[in-house]
Amino acid sequence: MQWRIKMRTEAIDWLGVLATEEEIRNNNLGRSNCIVNKWDTLQFYLKVISRMPGQASNTQYVVCYSNRLDNEAIVDNGAYDEDVRIDDYVKQLKNYFFRFNYEENQAGYFVAKNIDAINLSEDYYPGKGFTTIPMIVSKHPVYPNDRVYDNFEELENALKNDEYVSKLNKYNTSGLDNIPYLIFHNTETLEYRIIGNFTGFDYDVTRGIRYDYNELKSFVFEEDWYDDVVSFENNNSLLYVGDYVHKKIMAKLDETESIAVKEKIESNQEEINDLFFNESQDDEWEFIEHFEAVAKKDGLFYTKKDLINFHAAVKSSSLVILSGLSGTGKSQLVQCYAKALGLIDDSFHMIPVRPNWNDDSDLIGFVDSMHMVYRPSDAGFINILMEACQERNKNKLYIICFDEMNLARVEHYFSQFLSILEMPEKSRVLRLYSSEYESRLYNSDKYKPTVEIGNNIRFIGTVNIDESTFHFSDKVLDRANVIKLEIIPYTEWKTGEITTKGSFVKEWTYEEYQKLIRMPKDNMLSDREREFIWNVHEVLNSCGKNLGIGPRILKQIAKYLANLPINSNNENISRKEGFDIQFVQRIMTKIRGQREQLTAIFDVESDKSLIKLFDEYSDVSDFLKSRRALEIKNQELNDYGYTL
């Protein structure tokens, strides 16, 4: 028997308060915010009120047990009658902030652990939120042997010199677009100081975090801001900043003069990129024709624009998901793409997803604590990643396809990996197990605690949408290009001898494939394109606070449009067509809910009508595909009362 704990953990410090009874009832979590359970333990709900910059918790409410709360000031008077016991305990809980991690158990409940409590501040009010900001405390390292700063000037110099400044503890960088600023806490003067205006970051598990900036800015925390932050004892890495003060800090960063400006190195890099790109255009179009021929030879009949869309999505996305009717050749299309790239057996891997996968150990593996070995999943995923990151294989291109990936809940078995995909290349490190086990595992020489995920791997998934599968959460949709394949009408199938271009029967290297990839200038869309998406965001957000379009999606759309193959004939996808395609694949997939919530979007007479926006921004695109997708969703609302 192998001892294996199947539980997903969020090793992040969140801030919370006692949830109200109304919140618990409205979210169908029960009838009360505190009960006595069958083990005679008080069980209550905490509401998460903190978030990382631009990123919320996976859940808003977590279960907590009184026997996990180590605070002498909060007393469970078990001798009282049940109702009095609960009322007395709730009155105490209402006076505290709670800091905690949480874990998801096998039943799907999020359970708090490692709980600390401090008195609630006088200016706290229901609905108030906090942003979690990394903090560096003078003379106190985040971890043993981590870098120590005696004063602010040492931190400032480290940032000016582009050094890795510190590790992060109880903080999640996965999926974050940016950490806008740091807080430095001087333990002698008790002063907080802001330093930042960061444009991005690079996180290395061994060296810590390095921040990017164009102009570095700094200023002292204002006096009236101190009442709007929450800090716990023995916490040398995080500060919870009230959202009002966070907005004030962001505004002041814009107004403050710079203390350092990075020199703009004049170079002809853009011209070099254009040269490489222009040289590769003809090769890329020949590859498209070769890909089409390979697909037809294997009995697949898709339009050339569908194949171009798939190719552009694979080039520009960290994850591409092919959706469609069962039997339409989704898995075979991925195989044809690999074949067109000349990828031989050890470069292309198909991983069938199983319905019983319910956490990331089913994909990654686990520590067998009885035999003290790391056991990788029999899917072979980890061995592929280890092979691809070896120095001799770094110029080798790999494709990994997760076949029927929604047979199990993607958010469960794919959670850690999904977050890592959005990180910069050097920061894409997958943790297999805690470093504390490395010296104790017999096979740790082969399976290190972490494995690098190189850019030389392209990830693709296939899904069927039927009663045996699960639908995707926003966490998946935000990171994936979801392509719904349509086949050519059977009457238009052309049979006969099909030849492929011999010059492309070769194995593409990562370097050759990388030359086809073009980064959009400044990661920006045109003014009209961004204006249109913002208006759509406001319409969706007015229908539900969980509906909307995040900045990540804008960047992904821009990258896709920049990577559309260019050709002088009419077979290529124009920018207007590409924008329409991306609206369907990136945004329409997020329009989900009940008729009462979404009716206005489909009503042409409503101020929230998407049809009106399509007409108003006809210069951006004709939105033919988007209009058809909208009609289908409207029909679903009429037939079933909801759309997915």
Side-chain angles (χ1 to χ4, degrees):
M1 179 178 179
Q2 298 170 3
W3 291 97
R4 169 186 181 186
I5 298 175
K6 299 201 74 174
M7 184 172 285
R8 298 195 304 120
T9 301
E10 281 272 10
I12 302 167
D13 274 349
W14 300 99
L15 184 68
V17 294
L18 179 69
T20 66
E21 290 201 348
E22 183 181 10
E23 288 168 337
I24 297 306
R25 287 194 296 268
N26 289 345
N27 287 277
N28 298 316
L29 297 173
R31 289 182 292 179
S32 177
N33 57 352
C34 183
I35 62 169
V36 177
N37 63 24
K38 61 183 179 181
W39 296 284
D40 195 37
T41 301
L42 285 168
Q43 175 180 318
F44 56 95
Y45 275 99
L46 295 178
K47 178 183 179 181
V48 179
I49 60 172
S50 65
R51 61 182 178 85
M52 306 294 166
Q55 184 186 80
S57 163
N58 287 335
T59 182
Q60 192 174 6
Y61 301 96
V62 297
V63 177
C64 188
Y65 302 103
S66 57
N67 57 5
R68 287 195 177 192
L69 185 56
D70 186 18
N71 188 299
E72 295 179 358
I74 304 175
V75 180
D76 173 12
N77 292 297
Y80 290 171
D81 290 338
E82 183 173 303
D83 289 345
V84 177
R85 177 186 176 189
I86 291 173
D87 288 344
D88 178 69
Y89 201 67
V90 167
K91 286 178 182 177
Q92 297 177 69
L93 294 175
K94 286 181 177 179
N95 296 319
Y96 290 90
F97 284 120
F98 298 92
R99 181 186 64 179
F100 54 89
N101 317 136
Y102 62 75
E103 58 195 8
E104 184 181 3
N105 62 21
Q106 285 184 312
Y109 292 102
F110 294 96
V111 182
K113 64 175 189 174
N114 302 325
I115 309 159
D116 290 331
I118 61 170
N119 290 326
L120 205 68
S121 58
E122 292 182 1
D123 63 342
Y124 175 75
Y125 55 86
K128 184 174 183 177
F130 291 81
T131 300
T132 311
I133 298 297
M135 179 171 65
I136 292 177
V137 179
S138 65
K139 305 183 187 300
H140 288 78
V142 174
Y143 287 101
N145 302 320
D146 195 14
R147 189 165 183 173
V148 178
Y149 297 90
D150 290 331
N151 52 57
F152 175 76
E153 287 70 26
E154 291 181 3
L155 172 62
E156 180 183 327
N157 289 332
L159 289 167
K160 287 179 178 178
N161 294 328
D162 280 340
E163 298 173 8
Y164 286 85
V165 297
S166 175
K167 295 179 182 177
L168 292 179
N169 186 25
K170 306 298 184 182
Y171 199 87
N172 180 28
T173 59
S174 300
L176 286 185
D177 291 323
N178 193 17
I179 299 171
Y181 58 90
L182 280 175
I183 293 176
F184 182 82
H185 178 43
N186 189 315
T187 53
E188 294 180 355
T189 64
L190 303 183
E191 177 187 80
Y192 287 140
R193 190 173 186 91
I194 303 295
I195 186 164
N197 201 36
F198 302 129
T199 57
F201 66 88
D202 176 28
Y203 190 68
D204 185 281
V205 290
T206 57
R207 292 181 290 178
I209 194 163
R210 182 182 63 80
Y211 295 91
D212 295 324
Y213 61 88
N214 296 322
E215 298 180 41
L216 189 64
K217 300 182 179 183
S218 176
F219 49 85
V220 176
F221 222 64
E222 294 188 6
E223 193 66 33
D224 59 339
W225 292 354
Y226 284 87
D227 294 331
D228 202 26
V229 298
V230 178
S231 178
F232 288 78
E233 290 184 15
N234 303 319
N235 180 3
N236 300 326
S237 62
L238 299 178
L239 191 70
Y240 301 99
V241 179
D243 285 346
Y244 173 76
V245 169
H246 176 63
K247 290 178 182 177
K248 288 283 190 181
I249 292 172
M250 295 298 291
K252 191 165 182 176
L253 280 171
D254 287 338
E255 301 166 358
T256 303
E257 292 187 7
S258 307
I259 59 173
V261 178
K262 281 192 176 179
E263 293 183 16
K264 293 184 178 179
I265 302 173
E266 296 295 333
S267 74
N268 61 345
Q269 186 61 47
E270 191 170 320
E271 294 177 11
I272 294 172
N273 290 342
D274 286 339
L275 178 62
F276 276 130
F277 185 68
N278 291 331
E279 287 178 350
S280 64
Q281 281 182 33
D282 292 339
D283 284 349
E284 183 167 25
W285 197 257
E286 285 187 48
F287 168 75
I288 294 294
E289 292 182 336
H290 177 65
F291 177 29
E292 181 185 32
V294 170
K296 287 181 178 178
K297 190 173 183 180
D298 283 5
L300 295 179
F301 293 90
Y302 293 108
T303 66
K304 180 170 284 188
K305 288 188 176 181
D306 274 345
L307 300 181
I308 294 171
N309 175 31
F310 174 64
H311 170 62
V314 174
K315 282 201 302 173
S316 60
S317 306
S318 54
L319 174 65
V320 175
I321 297 176
L322 294 177
S323 173
L325 293 172
S326 178
T328 52
K330 298 180 291 294
S331 303
Q332 194 177 354
L333 181 62
V334 182
Q335 292 174 327
C336 287
Y337 189 67
K339 188 185 295 185
L341 288 168
L343 303 187
I344 53 180
D345 291 341
D346 64 341
S347 298
F348 171 66
H349 299 270
M350 186 79 71
I351 297 179
V353 173
R354 299 173 187 171
N356 63 339
W357 287 7
N358 56 24
D359 71 11
D360 54 11
S361 65
D362 292 307
L363 178 66
I364 296 171
F366 63 97
V367 170
D368 178 352
S369 57
M370 175 172 282
H371 300 95
M372 292 312 294
V373 293
Y374 173 76
R375 297 194 183 278
S377 165
D378 57 9
F381 180 59
I382 292 303
N383 291 329
I384 301 167
L385 295 183
M386 290 170 56
E387 177 191 330
C389 72
Q390 291 180 11
E391 194 62 38
R392 69 174 186 272
N393 293 327
K394 287 197 172 180
N395 194 32
K396 192 173 181 178
L397 189 62
Y398 289 80
I399 289 179
I400 296 178
C401 178
F402 300 98
D403 197 28
E404 298 193 68
M405 66 185 300
N406 63 334
L407 279 177
R409 288 194 180 277
V410 178
E411 300 79 13
H412 289 189
Y413 73 84
F414 214 54
S415 57
Q416 183 188 173
F417 183 72
L418 196 63
S419 298
I420 292 170
L421 280 181
E422 289 298 314
M423 300 181 72
E425 181 180 3
K426 292 181 181 178
S427 303
R428 299 205 312 178
V429 177
L430 184 66
R431 179 162 291 281
L432 306 184
Y433 57 86
S434 174
S435 299
E436 66 187 53
Y437 286 106
E438 185 172 10
S439 61
R440 297 154 57 189
L441 298 181
Y442 292 117
N443 60 347
S444 61
D445 56 334
K446 180 177 181 181
Y447 296 104
K448 300 297 183 184
T450 60
V451 60
E452 177 188 339
I453 302 174
N455 269 9
N456 59 332
I457 311 175
R458 320 310 291 182
F459 297 98
I460 304 171
T462 69
V463 300
N464 292 322
I465 305 298
D466 56 39
E467 66 280 355
S468 67
T469 60
F470 294 95
H471 294 284
F472 293 127
S473 70
D474 282 348
K475 183 174 182 178
V476 178
L477 295 176
D478 278 347
R479 291 163 171 80
N481 227 320
V482 182
I483 300 174
K484 188 172 183 180
L485 291 173
E486 298 178 4
I487 57 176
I488 296 176
Y490 304 146
T491 54
E492 297 179 19
W493 285 16
K494 295 179 181 178
T495 58
E497 185 178 351
I498 300 169
T499 59
T500 60
K501 297 206 170 190
S503 61
F504 275 84
V505 182
K506 66 167 188 175
E507 182 177 0
W508 281 63
T509 65
Y510 168 64
E511 184 179 346
E512 290 170 331
Y513 191 84
Q514 192 68 12
K515 286 181 181 179
L516 304 181
I517 299 174
R518 186 174 174 86
M519 294 301 296
K521 192 174 182 180
D522 299 325
N523 288 320
M524 297 300 286
L525 299 168
S526 72
D527 291 344
R528 286 285 286 173
E529 288 167 342
R530 283 184 285 113
E531 183 181 301
F532 167 76
I533 292 178
W534 177 251
N535 287 334
V536 173
H537 166 77
E538 289 194 313
V539 165
L540 297 180
N541 201 241
S542 68
C543 295
K545 62 180 181 180
N546 293 325
L547 292 174
I549 306 166
R552 179 190 290 116
I553 290 179
L554 264 72
K555 295 177 182 178
Q556 292 166 339
I557 292 175
K559 190 174 180 182
Y560 171 90
L561 294 176
N563 279 281
L564 288 171
I566 298 173
N567 190 272
S568 57
N569 60 38
N570 292 324
E571 293 181 305
N572 61 307
I573 295 176
S574 68
R575 185 179 182 89
K576 288 185 176 183
E577 287 178 290
F579 190 86
D580 184 23
I581 289 169
Q582 283 296 280
F583 190 83
V584 173
Q585 294 174 185
R586 289 287 190 181
I587 297 172
M588 290 294 293
T589 54
K590 294 168 65 66
I591 300 178
R592 303 180 296 179
Q594 297 179 336
R595 181 190 293 118
E596 294 78 8
Q597 182 185 20
L598 299 175
T599 297
I601 292 176
F602 303 93
D603 183 0
V604 292
E605 302 299 325
S606 169
D607 292 337
K608 299 178 181 179
S609 168
L610 286 184
I611 296 293
K612 282 185 177 179
L613 284 176
F614 292 159
D615 293 339
E616 182 182 347
Y617 289 86
S618 58
D619 56 313
V620 172
S621 174
D622 56 19
F623 295 106
L624 292 178
K625 292 182 181 293
S626 301
R627 292 173 192 269
R628 284 199 296 271
L630 201 64
E631 288 174 6
I632 293 171
K633 285 189 172 288
N634 191 26
Q635 188 64 49
E636 289 175 350
L637 282 183
N638 293 330
D639 291 345
Y640 312 117
Y642 62 88
T643 182
L644 293 171

